[in-house]
Amino acid sequence: MAEKHVVVLGAGFAGLNAVRELSREPSVRVTLVDRNNYHLFQPLLYQVASAGLEAPQIAFPIRAFLRRHKNARFLLGSAEGIDPKARVLMVEGRPVPYDYLIVGLGTKTNDFGLPGVAQYGYAMKTLDDAMRIRDRLISAGEEASRTTDPHRRRALLTMVIVGGGPTGVELAGALGEVRRHVIPRDFPGVDLREVRVILIETGSRLLDAFAPSSARYAQRFLERLGVEVWLGERVVEIRPDGVRLESGKFIPTFTAIWTAGVTGQGIPGLQVVRGNRVATTPELYVPEHPEIYVAGDMNFLEYKDGRPHPQVAPTAMQQGRLAAQNILRELRGEEKRAFRYFDKGNMATLGRNAAVAEIKGLRLNGFPAWAAWLGVHLYYLVGFRNRLMVLGNWAYSYFTYDYAVRVMHHRHEFPVAGERVSA
C-alpha cells in the first residue's frame, strides 16, 4: 500500500477517534489540525463556568495524545478553506495537501439573529467562554456585596440561563447548588432571597430529547433547589442591563447565559445545508468529493423523520471511527460501510445525588442516574491525570458542600444607570 496522507481537521471527539483508527495503519501518514493545542471535553464546560473544576482539568494536550501514534503529527492553526480540486487545506495561509480529508469541526453558538445575544449574552462553547462566565459571576457577587442600590444588587445577583436542553439544565443545577451552599458562606451579608437563578425555555418542557417523565423530574428537582423554571417564554432581546421576553416581561440582570442553540461551524469550500452542516453519503463522504469525509456535529445525514443525527459526543466518536475505517477499507480495496448510529442514550445531571438517564429503554433518576453520569464522564475524559483531578474535585465538593475554584482571573465592570456598555 503506497503511503497516503490523511488530514484530520478538528481535535474534538470525531478527530481523536479518527486518528486512533488511522494510526493502526503504518502506511498512512496523519496530520491533525486544530486552532487550539488541546482537546476539550465539552460536556464538563459548565462545571468550569460554575467554579466546580479548573479549566486544565477538562483539556488534554494534543501532542501528548499523539505520543502513542507514531505516524501522526500535529499542526496548530485555524483552517481558512478547502480547495477540493487541488486537494489542499489552507491553514493560516499555509497549503496542506491531502489524499484524504476528515472534517471534524464542531459547532458554534447560534444566536438566531436576535438583537444583543452576540454582544451581551454569554455563550458556553470554549474554555474562554466558561472562564468568562465564572469571572462574571464572581465579579457580580463582589459588586453586589458592596453596592447600596437595592435594584442594582438584585440585577447583579440574578443569573439568567436561556435554553432548557442538557447544557442549560446542568448549568442551572450547578448554579442552584452554588446559591444554596456557597453564597451564604462567601457572602454572609447577602439576602439569599435576592439571589435568583432563572432558566428560560421556549418549549412546554425541559429536556426535549428525554421522556416527559424525566423532564418532569428534572424540573421538580431544580425548583426544589431554588431555580426558577420559566416555560413557554421566548427571549427577543438581550440588553446590557437585562433580558426582554416576547411576553413583554423584562428581567433585570447583568449575566445572561445563552445555551439555546448551536449551528455547524462551516468552512469555505464545502457546501452546507440546513444548520450549516454538510450533507454526506451514508459512508460519510461528500458525494462530489469522495476523498472528503465529514464526521461529528457538521455532518448532515438523515437519521429519523428527516432529521440529522444528534450533535452529541457519541455521534462524533462513532462517525470519526467509521470515516477513518472507510478510508482504510478503500485503500485495501474493500467495500465501505454505511453509518449505523448506536444510540447510547441520554444523560443529564441536576445536582447532588440527582440526574436523569435513559439507556436502551431503561429510565433512571436520582442517585443511580447520578452515579452512572459520574462513571460515564470519567471514563470518556481523556488523560489519567485529568480523571484523577476531576474525581478529586468532585469528592471535595461532595463532602464539603463547596466549589473550590472561585478564583477571579479578570474582574468585570458592570454598567451603571443609563449606560449600555458590554463588560
Side-chain angles (χ1 to χ4, degrees), residues 177-186 352-353 393-404 406:
E177 296 278 1
V178 170
R179 176 186 178 275
R180 171 176 290 183
H181 300 299
V182 179
I183 290 178
R185 288 184 286 181
D186 278 8
R352 174 181 299 269
N353 297 333
N393 262 16
W394 284 350
Y396 175 85
S397 297
Y398 186 82
F399 290 110
T400 64
Y401 291 81
D402 198 8
Y403 280 27
R406 301 190 306 282

Side-chain angles (χ1 to χ4, degrees), residues 5-323:
H5 183 207
V6 182
V7 174
V8 179
L9 177 56
F13 292 107
L16 293 196
N17 279 270
V19 169
R20 285 193 182 102
E21 292 294 328
L22 293 167
S23 66
R24 298 174 183 176
E25 177 52 62
S27 64
V28 172
R29 181 166 56 93
V30 182
T31 299
L32 178 59
V33 180
D34 199 280
R35 65 175 177 266
N36 298 310
N37 76 330
Y38 55 83
H39 163 76
L40 176 63
F41 192 75
Q42 286 191 336
L44 293 181
L45 262 182
Y46 81 94
Q47 294 202 7
V48 175
S50 58
L53 294 175
E54 298 176 26
Q57 295 174 353
I58 65 168
F60 192 79
I62 295 173
R63 293 190 180 276
F65 171 82
L66 294 180
R67 288 173 186 169
R68 296 183 179 181
H69 308 288
K70 303 303 181 183
N71 59 340
R73 295 294 181 267
F74 174 62
L75 176 62
L76 177 69
S78 298
E80 298 168 333
I82 301 170
D83 185 344
K85 292 183 179 179
R87 296 194 179 190
V88 167
L89 172 71
M90 295 302 298
V91 181
E92 297 183 356
R94 172 182 175 178
V96 181
Y98 61 82
D99 293 300
Y100 294 92
L101 173 65
I102 299 177
V103 179
L105 295 175
T107 58
K108 60 182 180 180
T109 299
N110 187 357
D111 60 15
F112 302 103
L114 294 177
V117 174
Q119 187 175 4
Y120 303 116
Y122 285 77
M124 196 168 61
K125 292 297 295 180
T126 68
L127 272 184
D128 287 341
D129 290 340
M131 294 179 71
R132 284 179 67 232
I133 292 172
R134 185 175 68 192
D135 287 345
R136 186 75 172 179
L137 295 172
I138 297 174
S139 298
E142 296 294 343
E143 178 74 12
S145 69
R146 65 178 191 165
T147 185
T148 57
D149 183 344
H151 299 290
R152 181 175 178 80
R153 184 171 58 251
R154 283 193 290 270
L156 287 163
L157 295 175
T158 298
M159 297 155 276
V160 175
I161 303 166
V162 185
T167 301
V169 164
E170 291 182 336
L171 180 60
L175 294 182
E177 296 278 1
V178 170
R179 176 186 178 275
R180 171 176 290 183
H181 300 299
V182 179
I183 290 178
R185 288 184 286 181
D186 278 8
F187 302 99
V190 170
D191 185 350
L192 203 59
R193 291 172 296 183
E194 293 184 321
V195 182
R196 303 174 70 191
V197 179
I198 302 174
L199 177 60
I200 300 175
E201 166 56 35
T202 303
S204 59
R205 67 181 180 91
L206 303 176
L207 299 175
D208 185 59
F210 289 69
S213 59
S214 298
R216 287 193 296 270
Y217 174 85
Q219 181 175 344
R220 287 196 300 267
F221 181 86
L222 291 178
E223 289 174 341
R224 288 198 301 269
L225 202 57
V227 176
E228 300 176 37
V229 179
W230 292 20
L231 300 177
E233 294 280 7
R234 184 184 300 274
V235 172
V236 294
E237 182 186 13
I238 294 181
R239 294 172 16 186
D241 58 348
V243 174
R244 187 164 63 89
L245 305 181
E246 190 176 51
S247 62
K249 298 176 183 177
F250 182 77
I251 308 171
T253 179
F254 296 123
T255 307
I257 304 170
W258 187 265
T259 69
V262 295
T263 183
Q265 289 193 25
I267 183 170
L270 287 183
Q271 185 176 357
V272 296
V273 294
R274 180 158 49 96
N276 215 29
R277 300 165 78 171
V278 179
T280 69
T281 68
E283 293 77 20
L284 305 182
Y285 63 82
V286 179
E288 301 83 4
H289 306 288
E291 73 283 354
I292 299 178
Y293 289 74
V294 181
D297 293 344
M298 271 188 62
N299 181 284
F300 188 99
L301 180 62
E302 291 188 359
Y303 176 46
K304 289 180 179 179
D305 302 323
R307 296 178 299 172
H309 291 84
Q311 293 169 302
V312 293
T315 304
M317 296 166 70
Q318 294 171 39
Q319 289 188 344
R321 284 195 296 268
L322 182 66

